[in-house]
Amino acid sequence: MKYYSTRGNGIGVTSAQAIKQGLAQDGGLFLPESIPALQKDEIDALCKMDYPHRAAYILGKYLTDYTEEELLEDCQNAYGERFVGGTAPLCTVGELNLLELWHGPTCAFKDMALQIMPRLLSRALKKTGETREAVILVATSGDTGKAALEGYRDVPGVRMQVFYPVNGVSRVQKLQMATQEGSNVCVTSVIGNFDDAQTGVKNIFSDDAIAETLDKGGYFFSSANSINWGRLVPQIVYYVSAYCDLILQGKIKNGESMNVCVPTGNFGNIFAAYLAKRMGLPIAKFLCASNSNHILTDFLATGTYDRNRDFYTTMSPSMDILISSNLERLLFLLAGSERTTAYMKALKETGRYTVDADVLAKIQEEFYGYYADESQTSVTIQTTYEKEGYLCDTHTAVGVYAANTYRKETGDTTPIVVASTASPYKFAADVFASLCGKRPEDEFSALALLSQLTGTAIPAPLANLDKKEIRFDPDAAIKADTMPQNVLAQLGL
Ligand SMILES: *Cc1c(COP(=O)(O)O)cnc(C)c1O
């Protein structure tokens, strides 16, 4: 199966090449030439499998230049022991079904993709005859950096350096990164804010002289962005898996529909669910849940995507996004490459675009947009805990709010699967404040307070953070303009 750009340049590449390359040459995103089918009897068979086997089976339909054995080995290594308490368990919470995607090493759903993608990349380097090592640079405002570090640590043929703003991440996030293990990864704090770190990384990527130095030293730059196909395809799996679990739990029969609700930022997670539907998984509606940065809610209502608006810092920071990059893939499937290219050009030049009426009509047949502001998010955390005894994190709460609102508004009783995207302990201070009305003084103490209050256990990866050895001193922050020398020095160049 070949992969093509959403911008229509016509150059087909293998899945290994698409994963290695990240972005297509014309700036578009890769999609397979056709979407493979998933039949009803295959779903019956998947019901009998564990998660790694389900994953290897679905990945095999897309990554046709990887062997069955390779995919199974990678899925077992990615989704086995590193997920404590189940890989993507489906929990009943009142009328809803919460798909817990956060039992991996960093306690957030990014692990579902970032535990497997580096393994796929490592194989892609061999499959494409690459002799150099891949160097991945990441600028992070917190969650992605840690998940990427855990995913890429000790992966052969890959080096990684993560930059974070020294005063722009939470104490827990800083400790998570400072104590990172792995011989091929390093973490550097940068003086300034996230934009300074991000701009620094972008400048390095586009510097031809640095690229040449790397090449001579046997390295090249690759990316771990959420637009990489290698991050998207593993996300299709857990929607199929959730459907199987609904069948196994006796909530639906094979062939009946479910709805899916996703707390959304970059549109990657919800788009993976859409691909599952296009394969044949019976999903009726997609509920797209946003926080106060509700650019997607507005888009789904009006057909106009407009990023000329205020940006809010919320308690669900991983959804504080004004450019939902993966939306481009949906537009391509519904509008074709020519119109998609025009929309993206308008977005770049004016910060906005409006899709044609036929495209909007198609989107609105299946997608419903909702958003929860800060107080609605807090109240949802509180009422979900009081009524159902279930503790949700700030991002998941946005999804629960959307799912409840949809049920009330429409009376639709189709079972809803809500993506639960982070452990409540990852955002303990805001979760605690939502339950008790007062914020703990120090963010780290919030973990213990939340545990005492609810009688639930702090997940192991977060529990002993303050006792782990510091490997990368957060106080040794560098100036953003010295990032290039720092990268070269780390590589011994
Ligand atoms: C990244 C993230 C999201 C948003 O997912 P997208 O694929 O960007 O839409 C939601 N919740 C959490 C906890 C995340 O880390």
Side-chain angles (χ1 to χ4, degrees):
M1 171 156 357
K2 283 274 169 67
Y3 285 74
Y4 291 92
S5 166
T6 49
R7 310 265 172 106
N9 69 359
I11 304 171
V13 300
T14 62
S15 63
Q17 182 66 34
I19 289 169
K20 176 178 155 190
Q21 206 176 313
L23 213 60
Q25 267 166 7
D26 58 0
L29 311 188
F30 284 116
L31 272 175
E33 58 188 88
S34 64
I35 296 172
L38 181 67
Q39 313 288 352
K40 205 173 159 188
D41 59 332
E42 293 179 279
I43 293 176
D44 283 328
L46 285 163
C47 283
K48 302 192 182 86
M49 298 180 195
D50 64 6
Y51 195 89
H53 282 85
R54 287 176 183 174
Y57 187 86
I58 300 294
L59 291 187
K61 288 181 176 279
Y62 286 96
L63 310 182
T64 50
D65 46 337
Y66 290 68
T67 67
E68 257 175 61
E69 293 74 33
E70 287 172 339
L71 292 175
L72 188 57
E73 185 186 330
D74 286 350
C75 289
Q76 274 168 334
N77 287 332
Y79 298 123
E81 291 161 11
R82 287 195 177 190
F83 282 74
V84 181
T87 304
L90 189 68
C91 304
T92 306
V93 178
E95 301 291 325
L96 303 177
N97 304 279
L98 267 67
L99 178 61
E100 292 184 344
L101 303 172
W102 42 262
H103 292 282
T106 77
C107 304
F109 103 94
K110 301 278 190 298
D111 288 334
M112 295 300 298
L114 281 166
Q115 281 298 311
I116 182 120
M117 144 109 177
R119 299 167 206 276
L120 300 175
L121 172 64
S122 188
R123 290 198 195 274
L125 299 180
K126 289 205 196 86
K127 287 179 190 295
T128 57
E130 182 60 67
T131 52
R132 300 166 299 172
E133 278 194 37
V135 177
I136 294 177
L137 304 181
V138 176
T140 184
S141 54
D143 278 351
T144 306
K146 177 63 187 178
L149 285 161
E150 272 302 319
Y152 282 90
R153 78 178 221 211
D154 299 322
V155 169
V158 185
R159 302 278 204 111
M160 163 168 271
Q161 184 167 12
V162 168
F163 296 93
Y164 69 88
V166 66
N167 293 321
V169 303
S170 75
R171 178 146 172 247
V172 171
Q173 288 172 325
K174 203 180 270 187
L175 266 180
Q176 276 191 310
M177 288 192 278
T179 57
Q180 178 63 44
E181 293 164 39
S183 57
N184 62 333
V185 299
C186 79
V187 179
T188 310
S189 63
V190 178
I191 300 166
N193 58 27
F194 172 65
D195 279 337
D196 297 318
Q198 169 102 317
T199 307
V201 166
K202 280 193 182 150
N203 289 345
I204 296 172
F205 272 131
S206 58
D207 187 322
D208 291 339
I210 297 181
E212 206 175 302
T213 309
L214 249 68
D215 187 49
K216 284 198 189 117
Y219 297 104
F220 74 103
F221 285 129
S222 183
S223 85
N225 287 348
S226 73
I227 43 144
N228 193 303
W229 179 251
R231 274 188 66 177
L232 198 64
V233 68
Q235 301 188 330
I236 300 170
V237 176
Y238 47 74
Y239 293 106
V240 178
S241 179
Y243 187 79
C244 291
D245 289 342
L246 278 179
I247 295 173
L248 292 174
Q249 292 174 9
K251 290 181 176 158
I252 53 172
K253 292 199 189 71
N254 193 356
E256 290 174 354
S257 291
M258 66 174 181
N259 291 331
V260 166
C261 176
V262 185
T264 303
N266 209 355
F267 209 75
N269 202 1
I270 195 168
F271 181 71
Y274 181 77
L275 283 178
K277 174 169 184 175
R278 294 284 288 244
M279 292 174 77
L281 194 73
I283 302 177
K285 303 287 186 226
F286 300 92
L287 314 181
C288 177
S290 300
N291 63 23
S292 300
N293 296 296
H294 48 81
I295 188 164
L296 284 168
T297 322
D298 297 348
F299 170 69
L300 293 174
T302 65
T304 295
Y305 192 94
D306 189 353
R307 59 173 298 217
N308 305 301
R309 61 175 66 215
D310 290 337
F311 174 84
Y312 300 102
T313 302
T314 72
M315 66 173 101
S316 45
S318 301
M319 295 158 66
D320 291 344
I321 286 178
L322 290 184
I323 300 191
S324 301
S325 310
N326 273 298
L327 186 56
E328 176 168 349
R329 287 189 159 110
L330 178 69
L331 295 176
F332 170 79
L333 292 180
L334 298 178
S337 65
E338 215 168 291
R339 287 197 279 177
T340 301
T341 307
Y343 299 150
M344 292 305 120
K345 185 160 175 273
L347 181 65
K348 196 169 177 197
E349 285 166 3
T350 67
R352 71 197 295 275
Y353 62 87
T354 302
V355 296
D356 300 293
D358 63 309
V359 178
L360 180 61
K362 279 190 218 159
I363 294 175
Q364 286 177 337
E365 271 173 35
E366 295 172 296
F367 285 86
Y368 285 63
Y370 293 96
Y371 76 90
D373 64 21
E374 293 292 271
S375 120
Q376 286 161 331
T377 307
S378 259
V379 170
T380 303
I381 292 172
Q382 196 189 12
T383 51
T384 308
Y385 184 65
E386 277 168 11
K387 276 201 204 142
E388 317 294 350
Y390 187 85
L391 199 56
C392 46
D393 100 290
T394 48
H395 304 74
T396 307
V398 170
V400 168
Y401 175 86
N404 286 336
T405 310
Y406 171 81
R407 280 179 63 93
K408 253 184 247 143
E409 268 182 26
T410 61
D412 182 354
T413 56
T414 306
I416 303 182
V417 169
V418 182
S420 176
T421 53
S423 158
Y425 283 93
K426 189 122 201 210
F427 301 92
D430 284 303
V431 171
F432 183 80
S434 300
L435 295 179
C436 291
K438 58 175 190 292
R439 261 191 99 79
E441 260 167 49
D442 135 62
E443 201 203 340
F444 210 72
S445 67
L447 294 163
L449 289 172
L450 191 61
S451 177
Q452 276 160 20
L453 181 72
T454 61
T456 56
I458 305 175
L462 298 176
N464 298 318
L465 262 187
D466 51 346
K467 293 176 195 76
K468 284 183 82 176
E469 181 203 347
I470 302 277
R471 289 188 64 211
F472 306 103
D473 182 6
D475 296 325
I478 65 166
K479 287 203 198 124
D481 60 6
T482 64
M483 284 168 61
Q485 293 93 297
N486 193 282
V487 169
L488 295 175
Q490 295 292 347
L491 298 171
L493 298 173

